[in-house]
Amino acid sequence: GAGVSQSPRYKVAKRGQDVALRCDPISGHVSLFWYQQALGQGPEFLTYFQNEAQLDKSGLPSDRFFAERPEGSVSTLKIQRTQQEDSAVYLCASRAMNTEAFFGQGTRLTVV
Amino acid sequence: QKEVEQNSGPLSVPEGAIASLNCTYSDRGSQSFFWYRQYSGKSPELIMSIYSNGDKEDGRFTAQLNKASQYVSLLIRDSQPSDSATYLCAVPPSGSARQLTFGSGTQLTVLP
């Protein structure tokens, strides 16, 4: 497809379980962003990649959160030992140089 | 004080009326400003960007920017029920890698 693709769309995890969320950006997009959106709030920045380099991870809320983009295309956001406060929609966005960012549909994570 | 603040809403307007959405930001160095529309359960979609003081019109949408007052607004003329959504104001912090700081959003309902 032509858009940003995220999988899974929905994930239910038991507290303490590890999860991995996948993002397939638009082909050729250099920049990739992860955001976390809690219910009723705007998205909050987590981390940014330029190609395979993670240039900013200042928004990751704890060391349980880890993101990678090893070949400069697909990215994975991993959350270890999930907690209830991790329940949110995780949005991925990608951007080419000097263009707008396009968002994926998001992964809704529910930690029970 | 949050970095990007939006009027709390929810906002209801009758079909055909003008909807006015407001946003203030704290970073005086910010140079670009964006309005995203997010339908329930969907990803944010860029509808307007503005970079200079004054008004920018695109169809039924007008963005207004006043950097001295650190204020940006979105007007929707001839509102339609299909405009019912959450509108997010987004500002890249000065010196950032183009990640966005979002407001919490204003939920707009256009009543038929």
Side-chain angles (χ1 to χ4, degrees):
Chain A
V4 178
S5 177
Q6 292 188 244
S7 61
R9 287 293 315 277
Y10 304 92
K11 176 70 179 178
V12 178
K14 291 185 178 179
R15 191 171 53 185
Q17 185 179 354
D18 298 349
V19 299
L21 313 179
R22 177 187 170 103
C23 173
D24 273 280
I26 295 172
S27 178
H29 278 195
V30 168
S31 300
L32 185 147
F33 304 85
W34 284 98
Y35 291 86
Q36 179 191 60
Q37 187 172 25
L39 189 64
Q41 299 297 315
E44 292 203 3
F45 169 74
L46 294 177
T47 187
Y48 160 66
F49 289 86
Q50 184 171 306
N51 296 307
E52 69 278 4
Q54 189 175 19
L55 299 186
D56 189 338
K57 53 182 181 179
S58 62
L60 296 177
S62 77
D63 59 7
R64 296 185 296 104
F65 286 71
F66 171 76
E68 60 183 5
R69 194 187 185 196
E71 297 178 358
S73 178
V74 171
S75 177
T76 303
L77 176 67
K78 297 179 179 178
I79 309 174
Q80 297 177 324
R81 304 180 305 281
T82 51
Q83 307 287 316
Q84 282 193 313
E85 63 262 29
D86 300 334
S87 296
V89 175
Y90 290 85
L91 293 165
C92 176
S94 71
R95 188 171 69 83
M97 292 287 288
N98 299 320
T99 68
E100 67 179 273
F102 293 88
F103 283 82
Q105 293 290 336
T107 294
R108 181 178 297 277
L109 173 65
T110 303
V111 181
V112 297
Chain B
Q1 182 190 6
K2 289 192 67 176
E3 294 177 45
V4 179
E5 294 206 49
Q6 297 185 238
N7 50 335
S8 54
L11 176 66
S12 292
V13 300
E15 186 173 356
I18 296 175
S20 176
L21 306 164
N22 303 315
C23 174
T24 58
Y25 59 95
S26 61
D27 186 344
R28 285 197 169 274
S30 296
Q31 297 296 318
S32 51
F33 307 86
F34 304 92
W35 283 99
Y36 283 78
R37 177 176 63 199
Q38 187 173 29
Y39 292 113
S40 181
K42 302 296 185 182
S43 57
E45 171 194 14
L46 181 68
I47 55 170
M48 287 288 284
S49 57
I50 187 167
Y51 304 94
S52 304
N53 278 329
D55 295 359
K56 178 182 177 183
E57 187 174 316
D58 183 359
R60 296 185 295 110
F61 297 97
T62 299
Q64 299 174 317
L65 175 61
N66 183 325
K67 290 184 180 179
S69 300
Q70 295 174 249
Y71 175 90
V72 58
S73 66
L74 179 70
L75 300 177
I76 306 174
R77 289 183 302 282
D78 188 24
S79 296
Q80 302 296 309
S82 59
D83 296 326
S84 298
T86 296
Y87 289 81
L88 297 161
C89 174
V91 181
S94 54
S96 77
R98 295 283 288 178
Q99 68 263 30
L100 298 168
T101 299
F102 286 87
S104 56
T106 300
Q107 186 177 343
L108 172 67
T109 300
V110 180
L111 303 170

